[in-house]
Amino acid sequence: MEKKIRDEIENIILKDRIMTDLHELYSYSYDASFGEYLPEIVIQPKNAKEISELIKLANKYLIPVYPRGSATSLSGGSLPVKGGMVLDLTKLEKKLEIDKENLIAIVSPSVITAEVHKKAKEAGLFYPPDPSSSHVSTIGGNLLENSSGPKGLKYGTTKEYVIGLEVVTPAGDIIRTGGRTVKNVTGYDLTRLIVGSEGTLGIVTEVILRLIPKPQSVKTLVATFDKLVDSGQAITKILSSGILPSAMELMDNGCIRSVENYRPSNLPVNAEAMVIIEVDGHPLAVEEEIHKCEIICYKQGATDVKVAKDERERQEIWTARKMVSPAITQMGPTKISEDATVPRSKIPEMMKRLNQIKEKYQLNLVVFGHAGDGNLHPNIITDKRNVEEMKRVEKAVGEIFEAAISLGGTLSGEHGIGTLKAPYMEMELGEVGLLMMRKIKEAWDPNNIMNPGKIFPDRGQTKVVLT
Amino acid sequence: MEKKIRDEIENIILKDRIMTDLHELYSYSYDASFGEYLPEIVIQPKNAKEISELIKLANKYLIPVYPRGSATSLSGGSLPVKGGMVLDLTKLEKKLEIDKENLIAIVSPSVITAEVHKKAKEAGLFYPPDPSSSHVSTIGGNLLENSSGPKGLKYGTTKEYVIGLEVVTPAGDIIRTGGRTVKNVTGYDLTRLIVGSEGTLGIVTEVILRLIPKPQSVKTLVATFDKLVDSGQAITKILSSGILPSAMELMDNGCIRSVENYRPSNLPVNAEAMVIIEVDGHPLAVEEEIHKCEIICYKQGATDVKVAKDERERQEIWTARKMVSPAITQMGPTKISEDATVPRSKIPEMMKRLNQIKEKYQLNLVVFGHAGDGNLHPNIITDKRNVEEMKRVEKAVGEIFEAAISLGGTLSGEHGIGTLKAPYMEMELGEVGLLMMRKIKEAWDPNNIMNPGKIFPDRGQTKVVLT
């Protein structure tokens, strides 16, 4: 980086919040996805004003800007793929106010999502979105990727809880979108346009979240199925019986085995599927509903159903599910985690296709996910140093996306497009659909400085290149 | 309209679906808001392909295009303010499919919203948005204005239920946005950008709605308060007790009197407020919750609380609320219906300011609305032929907007901006906030043919002109 530019940056930000040493830059070169890219400089701004000045400078010198929270992105959201300037937003001044009377929270994007859960709970309130990473990921990162976790079925996604933002635009202006009311139709919904935009349309500097009263009671069961297709039937029957569970999580045989292998806990290693079902709400309703779910599971062929009797047993059930990621990470040095999503009724068909892809390319592919949403997580465990295998992985990933789209689904349910899925955008959206998104990006960010290399494929790029 | 253009239109659309006679055009010159504007031509397309060709033609000859459903807009959404071409979309081929397994509905925009409610109910499902006009307004109109009704507090707005669209873009291309899954983060959320865009970003030709299981039980009460501030306290106490009612409706003294005057039914004409509270869900939960609400209302100073014992009594309670609009319409020839929305805790303060405005300008102003959402409907009953009074109305309307914004609220909760609120956009959004919206509009619709004259103020326009 030229000294002149460096000097200008030092006029905006104190030196001790600027990093340019190689070992420092290296810590910012990767996220939880795939690939490593060194930035030129890492900056830790403290507030919107500093960010605004940095963005204006980036426009002046055409420097790519990469906003970054805890970098838990599984799609490459925070990778500085074109070098430039990483803005480490974890050092933004922290704010977390709960406004109990209006059922809202005012939060800075640097706050860890689990902190929002905790503070809301203390006020008798509830913030439902809960990605697996919520103990480490920032609320800002969750927002920009619209990552949501298991509660989407009953409670909707992160987007449904964001009603207002303060944003630094790609031109460096500070604007406010939405506000403190759930109902707001004053012009275009810029709030929801920015949520899920993966940092390509601006940098969020304050968030207004809608909260809801905390459900008074929660009950959980785990059901074991010899046949995967029976578990799909059980899920559908429960939903059409008038019950709306707060979570319906699926683990396939590969997952069950890998968890059991990682930490033996008597899981049914021969079952094709385990399903965790959770209901919440009024205690009387919850008691009756979990019992109904139990009966439906048995009627649909479950070999075993266990309803948690107390909070300890409930946590035990969730432990198996939460072990999935660490367990499969142990199975090989490289994990490719997808989130192709299909209409719920297509889950059995999608599982069949995933199995065919696994057999065809002889890969270690396991599947778990949020079955109630149709949001599956096929994970391929591989080794990026094995060039021959990576070529098979590449083909398999492409076929996973094709399968999801051909079943009426989508490339991404909650991880975002980032770098890995960009080449497949046109397959889902068509040429004009993608063009309409590009028009927004170009109108807002004509210099293409905000998180360049994400969402939009390079011209002619039609598949992901992992090797 | 030139013969050449007319001939080209007739090549796209059969003659019997084209209207140019003055008496026909007149039927399309107004909506439920304010003002009359004659279009040059009215066309009734049947499908997306016809609309696509018409939009291409409109771009070629720079003809303004005004999409229109049942024209129940209260903000001028469907007024052809710059003449041109009205597209009457009520004749679009009708589709209304319920996909029970995936909890979705596929609907053409020409379907009446009440039909969606009915079909969903028959399948044991529920589509919560319910604007007062739902028996006559189209789902397409509801979508483009994001009009929502009383259930926003518990169930969110129309936007929360739209997961996919087919849209004819301002260039005449047919695209699809979103899809059939609740979780979808494939690129920018064009679905939610278009919902609420008031027809300025394209014409919706198919809608995918998310449905939820129908609540098994519903209970309703009506509480009478001598003091308005007590009713606000009751609402807050109920919400912070962990109960999330499906509706909390407020009627002020002016409303109560006008309904009683319109159809005597023993309403408490001296009360400052009546509040209707409805809870839904599991029967056991609902029974307990409505009882809790009753107690809280009494504790907060209600002089009378009546819980409906059966469906007939429940309907009676709602009848009073539903009489408000017809009752106040009888009070004068011109009704200006606003929907300024404030954070819920500011309702007592907003009511005070509305009262001051009413006194200051000596107007017939009554207030009702969705108190749980902070979404109030101040209505001014006047006579547009009374030029002197209309000047006072103009000033009062401006002050209502100022009051809402100064209390942290918004110009519009659910009616949209249209023509009437456009001059106040910058007051809420700031210059740059409004500019970011304009950039999207200009990038998508460079010829400004889609519903021109709506949302965006003319340069320098700072107040609404009613006279």
Side-chain angles (χ1 to χ4, degrees):
Chain A
M1 181 163 281
E2 283 174 57
K3 183 165 182 312
K4 189 177 97 179
I5 301 176
R6 173 71 200 250
D7 287 347
E8 283 192 47
I9 291 174
E10 284 179 18
N11 280 335
I12 301 170
I13 300 275
L14 284 182
K15 257 190 186 169
D16 62 351
R17 292 189 274 120
I18 299 175
M19 289 170 257
T20 49
D21 288 353
L22 191 62
H23 71 277
E24 291 170 323
L25 298 181
Y26 184 74
S27 315
Y28 292 88
S29 68
Y30 57 91
D31 62 8
S33 72
F34 197 87
E36 286 166 19
Y37 305 85
L38 271 186
E40 283 183 84
I41 189 166
V42 175
I43 301 169
Q44 297 177 318
K46 276 208 176 322
N47 54 48
K49 190 171 160 288
E50 288 182 351
I51 295 173
S52 157
E53 289 178 41
L54 289 169
I55 299 283
K56 284 177 183 166
L57 178 130
N59 272 294
K60 188 167 148 195
Y61 297 109
L62 300 180
I63 305 167
V65 178
Y66 290 98
R68 181 184 179 100
S70 298
T72 52
S73 175
L74 294 167
S75 61
S78 48
L79 294 177
V81 294
K82 297 190 191 294
M85 181 193 288
V86 164
L87 300 187
D88 172 2
L89 300 173
T90 60
K91 301 292 183 281
L92 276 185
E93 283 152 5
K94 286 195 176 49
K95 184 199 271 189
L96 174 44
E97 290 171 20
I98 306 284
D99 175 349
K100 207 174 154 177
E101 221 174 341
N102 290 309
L103 300 183
I104 58 177
I106 320 288
V107 191
S108 47
S110 51
V111 169
I112 302 297
T113 306
E115 274 295 303
V116 180
H117 291 145
K118 192 169 151 253
K119 286 275 181 191
K121 201 174 166 186
E122 285 168 11
L125 300 175
F126 182 38
Y127 173 67
D130 186 19
S132 326
S133 60
S134 61
H135 280 79
V136 46
S137 58
T138 61
I139 190 82
N142 285 189
L143 235 84
L144 284 170
E145 300 292 334
N146 196 32
S147 46
S148 302
K151 301 222 162 79
L153 170 67
K154 178 167 181 177
Y155 290 107
T157 69
T158 294
K159 185 162 296 196
E160 269 78 60
Y161 294 87
V162 186
I163 58 173
L165 296 174
E166 182 188 73
V167 180
V168 181
T169 72
D173 295 307
I174 301 171
I175 63 168
R176 287 203 159 263
T177 70
R180 291 170 178 242
T181 62
V182 170
K183 285 187 175 175
N184 178 322
V185 295
T186 297
Y188 301 153
D189 190 344
L190 300 187
T191 306
R192 260 95 170 225
L193 179 64
I194 290 163
V195 175
S197 67
E198 307 188 14
T200 64
L201 294 178
I203 294 180
V204 170
T205 48
E206 191 172 284
V207 185
I208 304 175
L209 296 173
R210 171 169 81 95
L211 304 174
I212 57 175
K214 191 168 80 71
Q216 297 163 53
S217 177
V218 53
K219 283 269 177 186
T220 308
L221 69 73
V222 58
T224 307
F225 292 87
D226 276 352
K227 292 199 184 324
L228 190 80
V229 64
D230 290 346
S231 70
Q233 283 299 330
I235 287 167
T236 300
K237 289 273 176 191
I238 287 168
L239 287 167
S240 57
S241 78
I243 299 171
L244 190 57
S246 53
M248 297 181 112
E249 294 288 301
L250 174 75
M251 290 163 62
D252 79 348
N253 180 270
C255 267
I256 299 170
R257 283 178 184 266
S258 74
V259 171
E260 184 62 19
N261 201 36
Y262 177 65
R263 207 169 83 175
S265 41
N266 241 338
L267 297 184
V269 289
N270 293 314
E272 279 194 10
M274 272 173 68
V275 177
I276 299 173
I277 297 170
E278 188 158 287
V279 292
D280 64 11
H282 189 281
L284 297 169
V286 159
E287 198 63 55
E288 192 189 288
E289 287 180 350
I290 200 79
H291 183 59
K292 265 197 193 170
C293 290
E294 185 184 6
I295 290 171
I296 292 172
C297 285
Y298 275 127
K299 277 194 179 167
Q300 297 304 315
T303 52
D304 186 47
V305 182
K306 187 185 166 190
V307 179
K309 277 197 244 25
D310 49 34
E311 184 56 23
R312 193 185 54 79
E313 285 192 15
R314 203 186 136 248
Q315 290 302 338
E316 266 174 29
I317 289 175
W318 278 108
T319 299
R321 170 65 181 82
K322 281 177 183 160
M323 281 299 129
V324 172
S325 260
I328 61 182
T329 302
Q330 295 272 318
M331 291 162 75
T334 307
K335 186 181 77 150
I336 309 246
S337 176
E338 291 303 343
D339 65 325
T341 300
V342 293
R344 183 171 36 246
S345 65
K346 303 290 185 191
I347 285 186
E349 177 63 22
M350 185 66 182
M351 294 296 281
K352 210 170 94 188
R353 299 224 193 159
L354 289 171
N355 204 42
Q356 287 163 354
I357 292 168
K358 173 185 171 164
E359 295 298 323
K360 181 173 171 188
Y361 294 107
Q362 289 293 306
L363 293 169
N364 188 359
L365 188 156
V366 301
V367 185
F368 59 98
H370 317 305
D373 299 332
N375 179 198
L376 296 176
H377 292 309
N379 275 248
I380 300 174
I381 322 305
T382 179
D383 183 342
K384 65 180 173 184
R385 294 161 301 186
N386 182 341
V387 178
E388 183 277 324
E389 180 161 302
M390 289 311 283
K391 285 200 192 304
R392 282 183 281 134
V393 171
E394 236 171 67
K395 285 183 187 155
V397 166
E399 286 190 24
I400 291 172
F401 296 146
E402 276 165 30
I405 292 172
S406 74
L407 293 172
T410 180
L411 290 177
S412 180
E414 60 180 2
H415 294 172
I417 299 302
T419 53
L420 287 176
K421 282 164 246 169
Y424 301 93
M425 287 289 276
E426 205 171 303
M427 182 162 87
E428 178 169 339
L429 301 169
E431 197 186 329
V432 183
L434 185 57
L435 176 70
M436 298 311 277
M437 293 185 186
R438 264 195 214 276
K439 282 187 184 199
I440 295 172
K441 170 69 173 167
E442 287 165 7
W444 277 29
D445 184 15
N447 295 326
N448 194 27
I449 59 155
M450 282 307 312
N451 211 1
K454 310 299 164 67
I455 297 184
F456 299 101
D458 295 332
R459 309 274 170 191
Q461 193 190 356
T462 58
K463 61 172 194 160
V464 65
V465 178
L466 300 174
T467 49
Chain B
M1 179 162 286
E2 283 175 57
K3 186 170 178 309
K4 189 178 95 179
I5 302 176
R6 172 71 200 249
D7 287 347
E8 282 191 48
I9 292 173
E10 284 179 19
N11 280 334
I12 301 169
I13 300 276
L14 285 181
K15 256 189 185 169
D16 62 351
R17 291 188 277 120
I18 300 175
M19 291 171 255
T20 49
D21 287 353
L22 191 63
H23 71 277
E24 291 168 324
L25 299 181
Y26 185 74
S27 315
Y28 291 88
S29 68
Y30 56 91
D31 62 10
S33 73
F34 198 88
E36 287 166 22
Y37 305 86
L38 270 188
E40 281 183 86
I41 189 166
V42 175
I43 301 170
Q44 296 177 319
K46 275 205 174 327
N47 53 49
K49 192 173 160 287
E50 288 182 352
I51 294 173
S52 159
E53 289 179 42
L54 290 169
I55 299 285
K56 285 176 183 168
L57 178 130
N59 272 293
K60 188 168 148 193
Y61 296 108
L62 300 179
I63 305 168
V65 178
Y66 290 97
R68 181 184 177 100
S70 298
T72 53
S73 175
L74 294 166
S75 61
S78 48
L79 293 177
V81 292
K82 298 190 189 294
M85 181 194 288
V86 164
L87 300 188
D88 172 2
L89 300 173
T90 61
K91 299 292 183 281
L92 275 186
E93 283 151 5
K94 285 194 176 51
K95 186 200 270 189
L96 175 43
E97 288 170 22
I98 306 286
D99 175 349
K100 207 174 152 175
E101 221 174 338
N102 290 309
L103 301 183
I104 58 177
I106 322 286
V107 190
S108 47
S110 51
V111 168
I112 301 298
T113 305
E115 274 294 303
V116 179
H117 291 145
K118 191 167 153 257
K119 286 274 181 191
K121 200 173 168 188
E122 284 168 11
L125 301 174
F126 182 38
Y127 173 68
D130 187 18
S132 326
S133 60
S134 62
H135 279 80
V136 47
S137 57
T138 62
I139 189 82
N142 286 188
L143 235 82
L144 284 169
E145 300 291 335
N146 196 32
S147 46
S148 302
K151 300 220 162 78
L153 170 66
K154 178 167 183 177
Y155 290 106
T157 68
T158 294
K159 184 161 298 200
E160 269 77 61
Y161 294 86
V162 186
I163 59 173
L165 296 174
E166 182 189 72
V167 180
V168 181
T169 72
D173 294 308
I174 302 172
I175 63 169
R176 286 202 161 265
T177 71
R180 289 170 179 242
T181 61
V182 170
K183 285 188 175 175
N184 178 323
V185 295
T186 298
Y188 301 153
D189 191 344
L190 301 187
T191 307
R192 260 98 169 220
L193 179 64
I194 291 164
V195 175
S197 68
E198 308 189 14
T200 63
L201 294 178
I203 295 180
V204 170
T205 48
E206 192 172 282
V207 185
I208 304 175
L209 297 173
R210 172 170 81 96
L211 304 173
I212 58 176
K214 191 169 80 71
Q216 296 161 54
S217 177
V218 53
K219 283 268 178 185
T220 309
L221 68 74
V222 58
T224 306
F225 292 88
D226 276 351
K227 291 201 182 327
L228 190 78
V229 65
D230 291 344
S231 70
Q233 283 299 330
I235 286 167
T236 299
K237 289 273 175 193
I238 287 168
L239 286 167
S240 57
S241 77
I243 299 170
L244 190 57
S246 53
M248 297 182 113
E249 295 287 304
L250 174 76
M251 289 164 62
D252 79 347
N253 179 271
C255 267
I256 300 169
R257 283 177 186 268
S258 74
V259 171
E260 184 64 19
N261 202 36
Y262 178 64
R263 207 171 80 173
S265 41
N266 241 336
L267 295 184
V269 290
N270 292 316
E272 278 193 12
M274 271 173 68
V275 177
I276 298 173
I277 297 170
E278 188 159 287
V279 291
D280 64 11
H282 189 281
L284 297 170
V286 158
E287 197 64 51
E288 191 189 290
E289 287 180 352
I290 200 79
H291 183 58
K292 265 196 192 169
C293 291
E294 184 184 7
I295 290 170
I296 292 172
C297 285
Y298 274 126
K299 276 194 179 166
Q300 297 304 315
T303 52
D304 186 46
V305 182
K306 188 185 165 192
V307 179
K309 276 196 243 28
D310 50 32
E311 184 55 25
R312 193 186 53 77
E313 285 191 17
R314 204 186 135 248
Q315 290 303 336
E316 266 173 30
I317 289 175
W318 279 107
T319 298
R321 170 66 180 83
K322 283 178 183 158
M323 281 299 128
V324 172
S325 260
I328 61 184
T329 302
Q330 295 272 319
M331 290 162 75
T334 307
K335 184 181 78 146
I336 310 250
S337 176
E338 290 305 342
D339 64 327
T341 300
V342 294
R344 184 172 37 246
S345 65
K346 303 291 185 189
I347 285 186
E349 177 62 23
M350 185 65 183
M351 293 296 282
K352 211 170 94 187
R353 301 228 193 153
L354 289 171
N355 204 42
Q356 287 163 354
I357 293 168
K358 173 186 171 164
E359 296 298 322
K360 181 173 171 186
Y361 294 108
Q362 289 293 306
L363 293 169
N364 188 1
L365 188 156
V366 303
V367 185
F368 60 98
H370 318 305
D373 299 331
N375 180 199
L376 296 176
H377 292 308
N379 274 248
I380 300 173
I381 322 303
T382 178
D383 184 341
K384 65 180 171 185
R385 294 160 301 188
N386 183 340
V387 178
E388 183 278 324
E389 180 160 304
M390 287 312 282
K391 284 197 193 305
R392 281 183 281 133
V393 171
E394 238 171 64
K395 285 183 185 154
V397 167
E399 287 190 23
I400 291 172
F401 295 145
E402 276 166 28
I405 291 172
S406 74
L407 293 173
T410 181
L411 290 176
S412 179
E414 59 179 2
H415 293 172
I417 299 302
T419 53
L420 287 177
K421 281 164 245 169
Y424 301 92
M425 287 289 276
E426 206 173 300
M427 182 162 86
E428 179 169 341
L429 300 170
E431 196 185 331
V432 183
L434 185 57
L435 176 70
M436 298 311 276
M437 293 186 187
R438 265 196 214 275
K439 283 187 185 203
I440 295 173
K441 170 69 173 169
E442 286 166 6
W444 277 30
D445 183 16
N447 295 326
N448 193 26
I449 59 155
M450 282 307 312
N451 211 2
K454 309 299 164 69
I455 298 184
F456 299 102
D458 294 334
R459 309 276 169 188
Q461 194 189 356
T462 58
K463 62 172 196 161
V464 66
V465 179
L466 299 173
T467 46

